[in-house]
């Protein structure tokens, strides 16, 4: 069992930066790949980024590649999403999730989810 709690969302101007954090509890955290998803009003939840259990591999959606960086600290059971050069279209609720599957791009493959944190980017 893994419990996830996101933090760090807020309101930022276009071009600004935010760092999201995801605090995980559970002794098996390091065995899960971790992902960030987002959902804007009226839209489906979409993949943003993921990181392997070791942190050695990172995966990004094309829309955020070069702007966002995912990282993890297994000793602290934390996952981070550094978001730079933010755009209004990045506005959404951002969710942290854990998966034991190889299907890291698909929300249906994730076993555990946080409650989400709102990110709003003003133009």
């Amino acid at each position: 069992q893994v419990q996830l709690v996101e933090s760090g969302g807020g309101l930022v101007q276009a071009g600004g930066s935010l760092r999201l954090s995801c605090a995980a509890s559970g002794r098996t955290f390091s065995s899960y790949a971790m992902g960030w998803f987002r959902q804007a009003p009226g839209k489906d939840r979409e993949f943003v980024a993921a990181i392997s259990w070791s942190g050695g591999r990172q995966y990004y959606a094309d829309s955020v590649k070069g702007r966002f960086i995912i990282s993890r600290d297994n000793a602290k059971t934390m996952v981070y999403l550094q978001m730079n050069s933010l755009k209004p279209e990045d506005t959404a609720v951002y969710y942290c999730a854990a998966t034991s599957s190889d299907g890291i791009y698909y929300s249906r493959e994730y076993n555990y989810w946080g409650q989400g944190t709102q990110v709003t980017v003003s133009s």
Side-chain angles (χ1 to χ4, degrees):
Q1 190 81 1
V2 177
Q3 290 82 43
L4 304 171
V5 178
E6 303 95 335
S7 61
L11 174 65
V12 63
Q13 288 188 331
S17 298
L18 280 176
R19 188 195 195 202
L20 303 184
S21 298
C22 175
S25 61
R27 290 177 289 179
T28 59
F29 171 77
S30 61
S31 66
Y32 288 91
M34 299 296 297
W36 287 95
F37 287 76
R38 65 187 182 188
Q39 188 167 19
K43 295 188 176 181
D44 293 335
R45 190 170 297 189
E46 66 173 357
F47 171 80
V48 176
I51 190 166
S52 63
W53 65 270
S54 67
R57 289 172 292 171
Q58 301 86 40
Y59 310 85
Y60 298 96
D62 288 343
S63 59
V64 306
K65 201 171 293 182
R67 299 189 298 122
F68 290 11
I69 300 172
I70 188 171
S71 60
R72 68 188 295 164
D73 185 333
N74 285 345
K76 296 182 179 178
T77 64
M78 295 290 294
V79 181
Y80 306 99
L81 186 67
Q82 178 66 43
M83 305 187 296
N84 302 319
S85 302
L86 282 161
K87 305 175 181 180
E89 50 264 44
D90 293 319
T91 295
V93 176
Y94 282 72
Y95 297 90
C96 173
T99 180
S100 56
S101 166
D102 291 333
I104 58 164
Y105 294 101
Y106 307 104
S107 60
R108 64 178 181 269
E109 298 292 335
Y110 284 75
N111 310 90
Y112 304 104
W113 292 84
Q115 83 289 347
T117 185
Q118 176 71 47
V119 172
T120 303
V121 184
S122 63
S123 57

